[in-house]
Amino acid sequence: MKQILRLPAWVFIITILAPFVFWAVPLFTGQALYWGAPVLQFIPWRLEGMEQLSNGIFPLWNSSNGLGSPLMANYQTAFFYPPGWVIILIGLLGGSGGIAWGYTLMLAIHAGWASLGMAYLVKRYTNNPLSMVLSAIAYSLGSYFIARAGFFPMVWVGAWFPWMMVSIAHDIEQGRRIWKIKKFPFASVLVISAALLAGHAQLCWYMLLFTFFWMLFIIKGSEGRSQILKRILAFCGYAAFAVAISAVQLVPTAELLLNSQRAGSVAYESGLTYSFWPWRLITYFAPDFFGNPGYGNWNGYGSFWEDAVYIGIFPIFMALGTIKLLFKKENQETNRNKKDTIFFWVMVLIGIVFALGKNTPIFSFFYKYIPTFDMFNAPARYMLWAHMSFCLLAAIGISQWKTPTGKGLYWLRLGTAGGFSVLVTSIVISLYLPNLRDSFVRSTITFGVLAIITGIFSLTHDVFFKRNKQNWWVGMVVIITFLDLFLANRLINPTINAASYSNAGKNSEILDGRVYLEAKTEYTLKFSRYMRFNDYRPIENKENVFSSGLPNTNLFQHIDYVNNFDPMVPKYYAQVMNLLPMMDKQEEKNWLMLMNVKKIIRSDLQSETGVNHTELDGSRQIWWFPCAILAESNDAALNDSRNFLQNWVVGSDLNQIVVESNETIITTRNECSQSHFSFSVTEENPVSMTLRVNASEDGWLMVSESWYPGWEATIDGEKSEVTRGFALFQTVNVPAGEHIIELKYKPLSFLFGSMISGLSLIFLSIIGFLERRKRIHKL
């Protein structure tokens, strides 16, 4: 904190204030993001968690999506991230609308925190206030994060990147180690913990890797090789202790990963879908060269947000200006800047090459042979390394910004004239080629204007400083940089009145069962109607998205869905859902009945809403089977289940269930006829169900809920195994007679993770108490 307070007052104020000014309109008009992930994932997840907490239930399980799925273990919910608790508090006051607006507030807060951290990081390289401010604005308001603002955890995690570098560098240099009570690395441990809990593992991993390499670079530059191993161990110690603190989130998430459709690795084709499109490198200078979905004219390859890289014209030109340092002879003044410049340019190149993904053979090789490269989607996100490096290179370049002399002055004048030529040529071309894409013309005109402005400010630098008018010059540079980024990014996050989220749940339908949204209908609704990649502008009332039937908007209406838009879902559920579109109508119908589907939503071009609703009779939540077909593996269980359900005719008795189990105590009867069975549900909530049953013979009770580790069953208080029926559903073997059956979700992963986190925090608190007591005694 003492270091932060040493920042010039105006730097401190502007770095924090600029992000709030950027988000001022949605903040003060009660707007919230809605396009894409906000309305389909993050806001409904947080709403579900808040409502469960309000009912005295810890939000471990979401029973309303995907036949039930882990909620808290879903890493991107970031339920254990302390700053995110503010959203819950706002939600308790304002409902789902409060939650939606709370996310907007957290975007501004995290952008301000990132900006301040960047200013502090730049202070390690230069005391130039302009370097601190421009780099801070470029990092926090650059397109890399603003284009991804709807993916809230990315912004939350990215806000800790500069703080991670600052804290780790400081603790390493101070010789702090987790095994040294008197020199415990509180800052590094807490910062890494915050990043781990903020909800995006991919960016957090990239940040840790970048910081690790940066740390090694610092070591090599400041000390001999003998210290490298010790500092590597220190870094690993920081990360290990942070992992222990975050275990309450990480352990359940690890369990979900191992039991999800992404267990092992991400499939090659889907994992490399969002590879950086090489032509988008042009957008470092002209962000809308290929159009902008905010204007409805995006015409580039892939998605706009994954390849967004713009950091502002002044910062990128200043970063490019550092290339000359690579060829300067080293002296005491330029020695450190040159080494840092080399490192950051290397990281720019590595980041870009990795981000290109499938566009080069390099990433494909790494994907196949190097661990961690096959863990995540979207290689384009490696551009984070280039983003951070360019911002720090800009800081170095700005610190040496002055009016050049000699050949430098000649090239500056030539470059300024070149900007004027681009401007004039673009205008002339637009007049003679009116059919040329508007985005090409507008972006090149804008680039020409900004290039001229950059040249003018460089040519007048010394004039202003010699006349003691530098404050005017600096102020104009800051304002232009902010306006440049604001105008480039202002339309790429569509908003809606936050109250619309609260209205979404009013007059909702009461349905005693689930809804199934046909796969091709879901795709059409998402990408052709509400979430068009090339045009963020709505083609109808924006509020219609809440009644569109898209998952997970059903959480606003408190309707249960078979579909689930979570990034990771239980693998057995995903397995069946992938097969459903390929089944014949009879088999599909039988599976949907077992899933307790009461309504099917399908495309209907003749309908005003674009869909029609079909009722499905015969579905139910609880099923009883007097007999079982035993299967020893998942493949066998799925094949047997499909064969059985293909031949089941609705209206006839469904007497047999396919059960996957290796238990030898399970027996089956040679003759199978429907037995008498009755039940009543005496208690039900997202994490438990209690039933009173009466069966004339032994049999199998099946609940239309996904099987998942952590679900336990008791029969009259005695433990019983929960097996998988029809390769998917929770199933319990029940003896004849009257019984009380209780199903509860009690994941050991959460208990184990909580214990590790709790002990780590207690240990950290004790060390902090001893450290504080020691300081008081010294005073």
PDB file of all heavy atoms in Angstrom, residues 441-462:
ATOM      1  N   VAL A 441     -12.903   1.608 -45.578  1.00  0.00           N
ATOM      2  CA  VAL A 441     -12.705   3.045 -45.796  1.00  0.00           C
ATOM      3  C   VAL A 441     -12.671   3.792 -44.467  1.00  0.00           C
ATOM      4  O   VAL A 441     -11.759   4.576 -44.202  1.00  0.00           O
ATOM      5  CB  VAL A 441     -13.832   3.603 -46.691  1.00  0.00           C
ATOM      6  CG1 VAL A 441     -13.702   5.122 -46.823  1.00  0.00           C
ATOM      7  CG2 VAL A 441     -13.798   2.945 -48.054  1.00  0.00           C
ATOM      8  N   ARG A 442     -13.675   3.561 -43.630  1.00  0.00           N
ATOM      9  CA  ARG A 442     -13.756   4.293 -42.362  1.00  0.00           C
ATOM     10  C   ARG A 442     -12.554   4.015 -41.480  1.00  0.00           C
ATOM     11  O   ARG A 442     -12.019   4.914 -40.816  1.00  0.00           O
ATOM     12  CB  ARG A 442     -15.044   3.920 -41.622  1.00  0.00           C
ATOM     13  CG  ARG A 442     -16.286   4.569 -42.201  1.00  0.00           C
ATOM     14  CD  ARG A 442     -17.437   4.545 -41.221  1.00  0.00           C
ATOM     15  NE  ARG A 442     -17.745   3.211 -40.740  1.00  0.00           N
ATOM     16  CZ  ARG A 442     -18.626   2.939 -39.798  1.00  0.00           C
ATOM     17  NH1 ARG A 442     -19.278   3.921 -39.207  1.00  0.00           N
ATOM     18  NH2 ARG A 442     -18.862   1.697 -39.423  1.00  0.00           N
ATOM     19  N   SER A 443     -12.135   2.759 -41.428  1.00  0.00           N
ATOM     20  CA  SER A 443     -11.023   2.409 -40.535  1.00  0.00           C
ATOM     21  C   SER A 443      -9.703   2.992 -41.028  1.00  0.00           C
ATOM     22  O   SER A 443      -8.877   3.427 -40.217  1.00  0.00           O
ATOM     23  CB  SER A 443     -10.914   0.883 -40.392  1.00  0.00           C
ATOM     24  OG  SER A 443     -10.675   0.272 -41.643  1.00  0.00           O
ATOM     25  N   THR A 444      -9.501   3.018 -42.340  1.00  0.00           N
ATOM     26  CA  THR A 444      -8.248   3.595 -42.852  1.00  0.00           C
ATOM     27  C   THR A 444      -8.249   5.116 -42.706  1.00  0.00           C
ATOM     28  O   THR A 444      -7.201   5.722 -42.446  1.00  0.00           O
ATOM     29  CB  THR A 444      -8.030   3.202 -44.326  1.00  0.00           C
ATOM     30  OG1 THR A 444      -9.219   3.481 -45.086  1.00  0.00           O
ATOM     31  CG2 THR A 444      -7.711   1.721 -44.451  1.00  0.00           C
ATOM     32  N   ILE A 445      -9.415   5.727 -42.875  1.00  0.00           N
ATOM     33  CA  ILE A 445      -9.502   7.171 -42.639  1.00  0.00           C
ATOM     34  C   ILE A 445      -9.181   7.478 -41.175  1.00  0.00           C
ATOM     35  O   ILE A 445      -8.415   8.402 -40.863  1.00  0.00           O
ATOM     36  CB  ILE A 445     -10.906   7.700 -43.009  1.00  0.00           C
ATOM     37  CG1 ILE A 445     -11.092   7.696 -44.525  1.00  0.00           C
ATOM     38  CG2 ILE A 445     -11.118   9.115 -42.464  1.00  0.00           C
ATOM     39  CD1 ILE A 445     -12.489   8.098 -44.982  1.00  0.00           C
ATOM     40  N   THR A 446      -9.775   6.703 -40.279  1.00  0.00           N
ATOM     41  CA  THR A 446      -9.518   6.901 -38.849  1.00  0.00           C
ATOM     42  C   THR A 446      -8.046   6.704 -38.527  1.00  0.00           C
ATOM     43  O   THR A 446      -7.441   7.485 -37.771  1.00  0.00           O
ATOM     44  CB  THR A 446     -10.367   5.921 -38.015  1.00  0.00           C
ATOM     45  OG1 THR A 446     -11.746   6.119 -38.316  1.00  0.00           O
ATOM     46  CG2 THR A 446     -10.140   6.140 -36.535  1.00  0.00           C
ATOM     47  N   PHE A 447      -7.439   5.656 -39.114  1.00  0.00           N
ATOM     48  CA  PHE A 447      -6.021   5.420 -38.886  1.00  0.00           C
ATOM     49  C   PHE A 447      -5.185   6.590 -39.379  1.00  0.00           C
ATOM     50  O   PHE A 447      -4.244   7.026 -38.700  1.00  0.00           O
ATOM     51  CB  PHE A 447      -5.575   4.131 -39.577  1.00  0.00           C
ATOM     52  CG  PHE A 447      -4.082   3.945 -39.576  1.00  0.00           C
ATOM     53  CD1 PHE A 447      -3.409   3.571 -38.415  1.00  0.00           C
ATOM     54  CD2 PHE A 447      -3.342   4.179 -40.728  1.00  0.00           C
ATOM     55  CE1 PHE A 447      -2.027   3.424 -38.402  1.00  0.00           C
ATOM     56  CE2 PHE A 447      -1.959   4.037 -40.725  1.00  0.00           C
ATOM     57  CZ  PHE A 447      -1.304   3.663 -39.567  1.00  0.00           C
ATOM     58  N   GLY A 448      -5.524   7.093 -40.569  1.00  0.00           N
ATOM     59  CA  GLY A 448      -4.778   8.221 -41.107  1.00  0.00           C
ATOM     60  C   GLY A 448      -4.835   9.424 -40.184  1.00  0.00           C
ATOM     61  O   GLY A 448      -3.816  10.075 -39.919  1.00  0.00           O
ATOM     62  N   VAL A 449      -6.025   9.735 -39.661  1.00  0.00           N
ATOM     63  CA  VAL A 449      -6.191  10.871 -38.750  1.00  0.00           C
ATOM     64  C   VAL A 449      -5.365  10.661 -37.485  1.00  0.00           C
ATOM     65  O   VAL A 449      -4.647  11.571 -37.025  1.00  0.00           O
ATOM     66  CB  VAL A 449      -7.684  11.064 -38.396  1.00  0.00           C
ATOM     67  CG1 VAL A 449      -7.837  12.097 -37.280  1.00  0.00           C
ATOM     68  CG2 VAL A 449      -8.476  11.492 -39.621  1.00  0.00           C
ATOM     69  N   LEU A 450      -5.444   9.468 -36.915  1.00  0.00           N
ATOM     70  CA  LEU A 450      -4.714   9.198 -35.673  1.00  0.00           C
ATOM     71  C   LEU A 450      -3.202   9.188 -35.899  1.00  0.00           C
ATOM     72  O   LEU A 450      -2.432   9.608 -35.024  1.00  0.00           O
ATOM     73  CB  LEU A 450      -5.169   7.854 -35.083  1.00  0.00           C
ATOM     74  CG  LEU A 450      -6.596   7.839 -34.517  1.00  0.00           C
ATOM     75  CD1 LEU A 450      -7.003   6.430 -34.116  1.00  0.00           C
ATOM     76  CD2 LEU A 450      -6.715   8.785 -33.326  1.00  0.00           C
ATOM     77  N   ALA A 451      -2.776   8.717 -37.067  1.00  0.00           N
ATOM     78  CA  ALA A 451      -1.339   8.740 -37.375  1.00  0.00           C
ATOM     79  C   ALA A 451      -0.844  10.184 -37.473  1.00  0.00           C
ATOM     80  O   ALA A 451       0.256  10.513 -36.988  1.00  0.00           O
ATOM     81  CB  ALA A 451      -1.077   7.986 -38.675  1.00  0.00           C
ATOM     82  N   ILE A 452      -1.662  11.045 -38.076  1.00  0.00           N
ATOM     83  CA  ILE A 452      -1.288  12.463 -38.167  1.00  0.00           C
ATOM     84  C   ILE A 452      -1.213  13.073 -36.772  1.00  0.00           C
ATOM     85  O   ILE A 452      -0.258  13.807 -36.448  1.00  0.00           O
ATOM     86  CB  ILE A 452      -2.318  13.226 -39.032  1.00  0.00           C
ATOM     87  CG1 ILE A 452      -2.248  12.752 -40.479  1.00  0.00           C
ATOM     88  CG2 ILE A 452      -2.075  14.728 -38.951  1.00  0.00           C
ATOM     89  CD1 ILE A 452      -3.370  13.277 -41.349  1.00  0.00           C
ATOM     90  N   ILE A 453      -2.195  12.773 -35.931  1.00  0.00           N
ATOM     91  CA  ILE A 453      -2.217  13.308 -34.566  1.00  0.00           C
ATOM     92  C   ILE A 453      -0.987  12.846 -33.792  1.00  0.00           C
ATOM     93  O   ILE A 453      -0.351  13.631 -33.075  1.00  0.00           O
ATOM     94  CB  ILE A 453      -3.508  12.882 -33.848  1.00  0.00           C
ATOM     95  CG1 ILE A 453      -4.718  13.587 -34.467  1.00  0.00           C
ATOM     96  CG2 ILE A 453      -3.424  13.181 -32.359  1.00  0.00           C
ATOM     97  CD1 ILE A 453      -6.040  13.101 -33.926  1.00  0.00           C
ATOM     98  N   THR A 454      -0.624  11.561 -33.955  1.00  0.00           N
ATOM     99  CA  THR A 454       0.571  11.041 -33.268  1.00  0.00           C
ATOM    100  C   THR A 454       1.810  11.795 -33.725  1.00  0.00           C
ATOM    101  O   THR A 454       2.670  12.180 -32.912  1.00  0.00           O
ATOM    102  CB  THR A 454       0.738   9.537 -33.565  1.00  0.00           C
ATOM    103  OG1 THR A 454      -0.442   8.839 -33.179  1.00  0.00           O
ATOM    104  CG2 THR A 454       1.930   8.972 -32.798  1.00  0.00           C
ATOM    105  N   GLY A 455       1.913  12.026 -35.027  1.00  0.00           N
ATOM    106  CA  GLY A 455       3.062  12.765 -35.553  1.00  0.00           C
ATOM    107  C   GLY A 455       3.112  14.187 -35.018  1.00  0.00           C
ATOM    108  O   GLY A 455       4.176  14.687 -34.633  1.00  0.00           O
ATOM    109  N   ILE A 456       1.966  14.843 -34.970  1.00  0.00           N
ATOM    110  CA  ILE A 456       1.909  16.229 -34.480  1.00  0.00           C
ATOM    111  C   ILE A 456       2.342  16.289 -33.019  1.00  0.00           C
ATOM    112  O   ILE A 456       3.119  17.178 -32.623  1.00  0.00           O
ATOM    113  CB  ILE A 456       0.487  16.803 -34.659  1.00  0.00           C
ATOM    114  CG1 ILE A 456       0.189  16.991 -36.144  1.00  0.00           C
ATOM    115  CG2 ILE A 456       0.328  18.114 -33.899  1.00  0.00           C
ATOM    116  CD1 ILE A 456      -1.242  17.394 -36.441  1.00  0.00           C
ATOM    117  N   PHE A 457       1.856  15.370 -32.208  1.00  0.00           N
ATOM    118  CA  PHE A 457       2.224  15.386 -30.790  1.00  0.00           C
ATOM    119  C   PHE A 457       3.713  15.094 -30.609  1.00  0.00           C
ATOM    120  O   PHE A 457       4.346  15.651 -29.697  1.00  0.00           O
ATOM    121  CB  PHE A 457       1.381  14.377 -30.011  1.00  0.00           C
ATOM    122  CG  PHE A 457       0.086  14.951 -29.508  1.00  0.00           C
ATOM    123  CD1 PHE A 457      -1.041  14.953 -30.307  1.00  0.00           C
ATOM    124  CD2 PHE A 457       0.009  15.529 -28.245  1.00  0.00           C
ATOM    125  CE1 PHE A 457      -2.228  15.503 -29.856  1.00  0.00           C
ATOM    126  CE2 PHE A 457      -1.178  16.080 -27.790  1.00  0.00           C
ATOM    127  CZ  PHE A 457      -2.310  16.072 -28.599  1.00  0.00           C
ATOM    128  N   SER A 458       4.273  14.234 -31.441  1.00  0.00           N
ATOM    129  CA  SER A 458       5.711  13.967 -31.341  1.00  0.00           C
ATOM    130  C   SER A 458       6.524  15.174 -31.782  1.00  0.00           C
ATOM    131  O   SER A 458       7.552  15.502 -31.177  1.00  0.00           O
ATOM    132  CB  SER A 458       6.068  12.745 -32.207  1.00  0.00           C
ATOM    133  OG  SER A 458       5.434  11.587 -31.711  1.00  0.00           O
ATOM    134  N   LEU A 459       6.072  15.864 -32.816  1.00  0.00           N
ATOM    135  CA  LEU A 459       6.787  17.035 -33.319  1.00  0.00           C
ATOM    136  C   LEU A 459       6.705  18.216 -32.356  1.00  0.00           C
ATOM    137  O   LEU A 459       7.604  19.060 -32.321  1.00  0.00           O
ATOM    138  CB  LEU A 459       6.217  17.440 -34.688  1.00  0.00           C
ATOM    139  CG  LEU A 459       6.533  16.486 -35.849  1.00  0.00           C
ATOM    140  CD1 LEU A 459       5.701  16.840 -37.074  1.00  0.00           C
ATOM    141  CD2 LEU A 459       8.025  16.529 -36.185  1.00  0.00           C
ATOM    142  N   THR A 460       5.622  18.289 -31.582  1.00  0.00           N
ATOM    143  CA  THR A 460       5.437  19.440 -30.683  1.00  0.00           C
ATOM    144  C   THR A 460       5.839  19.136 -29.236  1.00  0.00           C
ATOM    145  O   THR A 460       5.701  20.006 -28.378  1.00  0.00           O
ATOM    146  CB  THR A 460       3.967  19.892 -30.703  1.00  0.00           C
ATOM    147  OG1 THR A 460       3.132  18.793 -30.281  1.00  0.00           O
ATOM    148  CG2 THR A 460       3.557  20.336 -32.091  1.00  0.00           C
ATOM    149  N   HIS A 461       6.308  17.919 -28.973  1.00  0.00           N
ATOM    150  CA  HIS A 461       6.652  17.534 -27.600  1.00  0.00           C
ATOM    151  C   HIS A 461       7.608  18.524 -26.953  1.00  0.00           C
ATOM    152  O   HIS A 461       7.337  19.081 -25.876  1.00  0.00           O
ATOM    153  CB  HIS A 461       7.260  16.126 -27.604  1.00  0.00           C
ATOM    154  CG  HIS A 461       7.750  15.672 -26.262  1.00  0.00           C
ATOM    155  ND1 HIS A 461       8.986  16.046 -25.749  1.00  0.00           N
ATOM    156  CD2 HIS A 461       7.185  14.885 -25.313  1.00  0.00           C
ATOM    157  CE1 HIS A 461       9.149  15.505 -24.555  1.00  0.00           C
ATOM    158  NE2 HIS A 461       8.068  14.785 -24.266  1.00  0.00           N
ATOM    159  N   ASP A 462       8.744  18.758 -27.598  1.00  0.00           N
ATOM    160  CA  ASP A 462       9.774  19.609 -26.994  1.00  0.00           C
ATOM    161  C   ASP A 462       9.315  21.065 -26.885  1.00  0.00           C
ATOM    162  O   ASP A 462       9.711  21.781 -25.949  1.00  0.00           O
ATOM    163  CB  ASP A 462      11.062  19.527 -27.817  1.00  0.00           C
ATOM    164  CG  ASP A 462      11.738  18.176 -27.655  1.00  0.00           C
ATOM    165  OD1 ASP A 462      11.177  17.308 -26.934  1.00  0.00           O
ATOM    166  OD2 ASP A 462      12.809  17.959 -28.263  1.00  0.00           O
TER     167      ASP A 462
END
